[in-house]
Amino acid sequence: MFWDQQLECIEPERLREVQLQRLKEVVKRVYEKVPFYRKKFDEAGIKPEDIRSLEDIKHLPFTSKTDMREAYPFGLFAVPLSEIVEIHTSSGTTGKPVVAGYTVKDIALWAEVMARCLVMVGATKDDIVQIAYGYGMFTGGLGFHYGAQKIGATVVPASAGNTKRQIELMKDFGTTFLACTPSYALYLTEYAKEEMGIDLSTLKLRIGSFGAEMWTEEMRKEIERRMGIKAYNVYGLTEIIGPGVAHECPAQQGLHVWEDHFYPEIIDPETGEPLPEGQEGELVLTSLTREGMPMIRFRTRDITTLHREKCACGRTLAKIERIKGRSDDMIKVRGVMIFPYQIEQAILEVQGVEPHYQIILTRPHYLDEVEVQVEMSKEIFSDDVKTIETLRKRLEKKIEQTVGVRVKVTLVEPKSIPRSEGKAKRIIDKRNLK
Ligand SMILES: [Zn+2]
């Protein structure tokens, strides 16, 4: 299913032409309209007319989250404030949030790319789309909202939280399409079953679009099984537009990037050098058509790999692999880089535990210690001590094999790890590192 088949299956050569034309235009525009970019380009000794090929993008300076915070609130806008019709922010854990401004055209663009995402996985005007992402300053809720309305679906703007009501809505309205974070999707299945006696796989749900946090293939299988749906990965970020930068297709092997609007590069996070296709690194995005707040070479900090071969679904647009972690989320333990997703993968391969875990980092004697707390299933919890100890040891071994570092596993009671209605907090760092 295609929203815009001609564009989604465009000849790669033609796509390059479109991208180059748009890149030249946006670079010229930000140089003229945004003092922040003019200053950065001048310092790097680059002028808009130096961009003659797509490869020349590598001469442009990066834009970072820190740059955006310094430009708070409206320093990166390329149009007068009177042209901005909507503002969003991304939650910052430290300091000021990042602000994004949208013109009328930008909102239309957002609806367009989200429409492509939804139709790609089979959504139609007959679907009842329940959006359990937060509405408000967060882009998740409204991004899906605009896209679902654009394709003519029936939107249920449930927003995040109020789990009991979410499940009642699903049941009473016959929700067929669910959008939320993957950890919340799992929580919904659990709550429905245990608190309300409802098996979500018996409802009308058929498609889910999940994102805004890292999740694994194993978690996908678990959600698909518990909900009786096809579960897809959505990617986006406030700095670029919100959800809708990329989305998985029915092949479920990578997320197509709408690269006629968002130009992707992969760089080495340490050196900033562009990496060849197929190599893992940090995703950098340039918004080619955004009017209100164009972003030039934004460092997403998300770790992935870019692929350009034609997809089984017929689309020619590049694909990124599911996000493996954030370059600033990597945990460096005794010199080894580990990502939370690796631990999650290992846990989900072992029977007898629930997909709820927390990683606790401590440094008791000048040496990093990693403790992974994992919830036992109800069945195992009521089993004898020996069985539990065998399971614990198996987990420790599995995690060590996956990440290459010895960790301590503690099995905890069912339901003892805090549930989240948004992004799950996976790492608790008690090391006091600066
Ligand atoms: Zn595809």
Side-chain angles (χ1 to χ4, degrees), residues 200-201 205-207 223-230:
L200 290 189
S201 72
L205 283 172
R206 59 186 201 97
I207 306 170
I223 294 173
E224 289 191 332
R225 189 182 64 78
R226 290 192 194 182
M227 285 196 171
I229 61 168
K230 284 290 242 180

Side-chain angles (χ1 to χ4, degrees), residues 295-365:
M295 289 303 291
I296 305 294
R297 300 194 87 200
F298 179 69
R299 291 194 59 162
T300 66
R301 301 280 166 195
D302 290 322
I303 301 290
T304 185
T305 310
L306 192 70
H307 298 281
R308 291 204 175 274
E309 69 272 17
K310 190 175 168 180
C311 182
C313 73
R315 286 175 185 79
T316 48
L317 302 184
K319 283 195 295 193
I320 49 170
E321 290 181 13
R322 66 166 59 240
I323 303 299
K324 291 213 171 143
R326 291 182 58 75
S327 62
D328 44 17
D329 232 25
M330 285 188 293
I331 318 165
K332 207 169 180 183
V333 178
R334 282 171 256 151
V336 179
M337 295 291 193
I338 57 179
F339 289 107
Y341 84 93
Q342 295 175 303
I343 290 181
E344 181 173 317
Q345 234 164 11
I347 292 171
L348 288 169
E349 278 176 40
V350 176
Q351 293 285 315
V353 289
E354 295 291 314
H356 299 288
Y357 66 95
Q358 245 170 5
I359 302 164
I360 295 146
L361 303 171
T362 51
R363 184 173 279 182
H365 304 291

